[in-house]
Amino acid sequence: MNINGKHYRTIWMEDDRVTIIDQRLLPHEFVTEDLVTCEAAAVAIADMHVRGAGLIGATAGYGMFLAAKEAADTGDFDAHILACANRLKATRPTAVNLAWAVDRQFARMAEATAPEAKITIALRTAGEIADEDAAYCRRIGEHGKLLVEEISRRKSGATVNILTHCNAGWLAFVDYGSATSPVYAAHDSGIPVHVWVDETRPRSQGAKLTAWELGRHGVPHTLIADNTGGHLMQHGLVDMVIVGTDRTTRTGDVANKIGTYLKALAAHDNGIPFYVALPSSSFDWNMRDGLAEIPVEQRGQEEVKYADGWIDGRRGEVLVAPESSPAANYGFDVTPARLVTGLITERGICRATEEDIIGLFPENHA
Ligand code: MRU
């Protein structure tokens, strides 16, 4: 993704340092941060300096590399790696990419015995995880663009209106994004698109991040309050919904940012296609029942009771609710497969059924 003419990924190596964009400051300030320890990577994930399934996985991959570098000085290499792996995995429970990346690092490092060799492997694997994420998201864009193109043809070239929830953009991955990748691909190929951006309370990833990245790319978009989508759909103002996912079961149940389920219900009621875009690293091949099995993160109540933003040139918070009122903060919900029109993956588009998903990814046949 380009920012002021410079291409950025969301995580990269610079002179032996792992660097990220501190997303807590967007859209008002673009600040990078160096991660020099595994603990710093864990804090960046837990406190949402980085967020989004793909980027959480890539950060965990680099976190394991940092752990390997540290481990060489600890006297017990394997114990340090294990402790760091557990620390990273415990930071956020819902996005499956986190455990996937840590386990991939574990398996690769086990191929060597000498610490130096393990460090080299960990660095290479972290790079592979990041490169793969970017490549898969680019392909998601190519496949998803065909859906947008088809709607555009049906509308005789009139603007295609796409609704999205949260941020499943390039900021949530290493590059391109999942839900936004088809949007960028369509826009770049000259198809007129417009995106309805749910603000996505309480962390406002839509307002802060999706609106920012679409704006930077020059994609026409409109920010809406979270409860607006149903009304727009009833009035023919939404042609399709594309969202991302933090974890999707092998049967097609989709965990995504809280509020996604309500959008899927509204889309279903209005006959509007509801697509979920994901790289294969976001499938949980061990789960069949999303509602029963996917762990849903609950975060602090202050995120609901306070709104944060830019005040007098710096980040600040204001209390919105009565101070004494308790608040609940469920981070994600699960949309059952029956409400999902299709899954857009790096290998193509399929229905949200076990048969079709395994048809695309036969190596995960049970
Ligand atoms: O809590 P976050 O910001 O890490 O939430 C994750 C998300 O960005 C969304 O749920 C997204 O739609 C799917 S992750 C690409």
Side-chain angles (χ1 to χ4, degrees):
M1 177 59 60
N2 290 332
I3 299 167
N4 299 332
K6 182 172 174 202
H7 179 260
Y8 280 90
R9 283 183 166 190
T10 52
I11 188 164
W12 65 93
M13 289 287 296
E14 209 165 279
D15 303 331
D16 222 26
R17 297 189 313 268
V18 178
T19 307
I20 59 165
I21 300 164
D22 185 348
Q23 299 193 13
R24 296 171 305 167
L25 303 175
L26 290 174
H28 305 290
E29 271 190 342
F30 185 86
V31 173
T32 61
E33 177 187 350
D34 291 336
L35 304 177
V36 289
T37 61
C38 176
E39 178 57 23
V43 169
I45 296 171
D47 293 351
M48 293 173 71
H49 309 198
V50 293
R51 20 73 46 215
L55 180 54
I56 288 174
T59 307
Y62 278 107
M64 288 295 283
F65 158 62
L66 295 170
K69 276 212 310 185
E70 293 158 14
D73 299 325
T74 60
D76 191 341
F77 193 95
D78 291 343
H80 186 73
I81 292 290
L82 182 62
C84 288
N86 289 336
R87 167 76 176 114
L88 286 166
K89 279 188 178 180
T91 50
R92 297 196 67 193
T94 303
V96 71
N97 305 59
L98 176 52
W100 169 85
V102 171
D103 291 342
R104 180 164 163 173
Q105 281 281 26
F106 248 128
R108 296 299 308 280
M109 277 194 255
E111 291 166 9
T113 41
E116 274 312 315
K118 284 180 190 274
I119 295 168
T120 305
I121 288 175
L123 175 60
R124 194 183 326 127
T125 305
E128 283 167 9
I129 290 170
D131 288 350
E132 205 174 274
D133 185 85
Y136 287 2
C137 283
R138 189 177 53 73
R139 280 191 232 156
I140 286 169
E142 288 163 7
H143 296 302
K145 186 185 99 172
L146 302 176
L147 297 169
V148 182
E149 219 163 33
E150 169 61 25
I151 294 174
S152 169
R153 247 194 313 272
R154 261 192 275 129
K155 291 184 76 173
S156 307
T159 299
V160 178
N161 289 298
I162 301 165
L163 184 138
T164 194
H165 190 69
C166 195
N167 173 258
W170 73 275
L171 289 164
F173 289 87
V174 174
D175 209 346
Y176 298 98
S178 58
T180 55
S181 192
V183 172
Y184 292 135
H187 173 81
D188 291 350
S189 69
I191 300 169
V193 291
H194 163 263
V195 182
W196 295 110
V197 180
D198 285 352
E199 62 176 347
T200 320
R201 280 279 294 148
R203 292 285 296 218
S204 304
Q205 289 95 330
K208 292 176 177 172
L209 306 176
T210 306
W212 182 75
E213 59 164 272
L214 289 172
R216 290 279 149 162
H217 199 95
V219 176
H221 62 280
T222 306
L223 184 62
I224 49 176
D226 281 330
N227 297 322
T228 311
H231 169 78
L232 296 175
M233 292 182 201
Q234 287 174 321
H235 289 272
L237 295 169
V238 179
D239 296 305
M240 70 191 303
V241 179
I242 312 180
V243 297
T245 175
D246 300 271
R247 187 186 299 240
T248 288
T249 64
R250 61 186 293 128
T251 53
D253 291 339
V254 170
N256 194 49
K257 185 53 61 191
I258 193 77
T260 302
Y261 171 52
L262 292 177
K263 297 298 173 283
L265 282 174
H268 184 73
D269 191 46
N270 289 281
I272 291 164
F274 181 94
Y275 285 96
V276 178
L278 73 162
S280 49
S281 51
S282 296
F283 279 111
D284 189 326
W285 302 109
N286 297 315
M287 287 189 180
R288 284 203 149 76
D289 183 341
L291 262 184
E293 295 178 275
I294 296 177
V296 169
E297 177 180 16
Q298 290 190 53
R299 298 182 60 87
Q301 49 177 313
E302 69 286 350
E303 290 183 352
V304 176
K305 290 171 65 172
Y306 288 79
D308 79 305
W310 223 240
I311 303 163
D312 296 333
R314 61 189 172 83
R315 187 169 172 242
E317 290 181 338
V318 291
L319 179 64
V320 177
E323 190 144 33
S324 57
S325 291
N329 187 5
Y330 293 88
F332 302 89
D333 59 25
V334 175
T335 298
R338 67 187 154 78
L339 298 176
V340 177
T341 308
L343 303 172
I344 310 170
T345 77
E346 73 268 16
R347 291 198 192 164
I349 300 167
C350 69
R351 286 182 309 148
T353 64
E354 183 164 8
E355 191 189 357
D356 278 28
I357 293 169
I358 297 301
L360 270 189
F361 297 93
E363 66 274 30
N364 295 292
H365 196 282

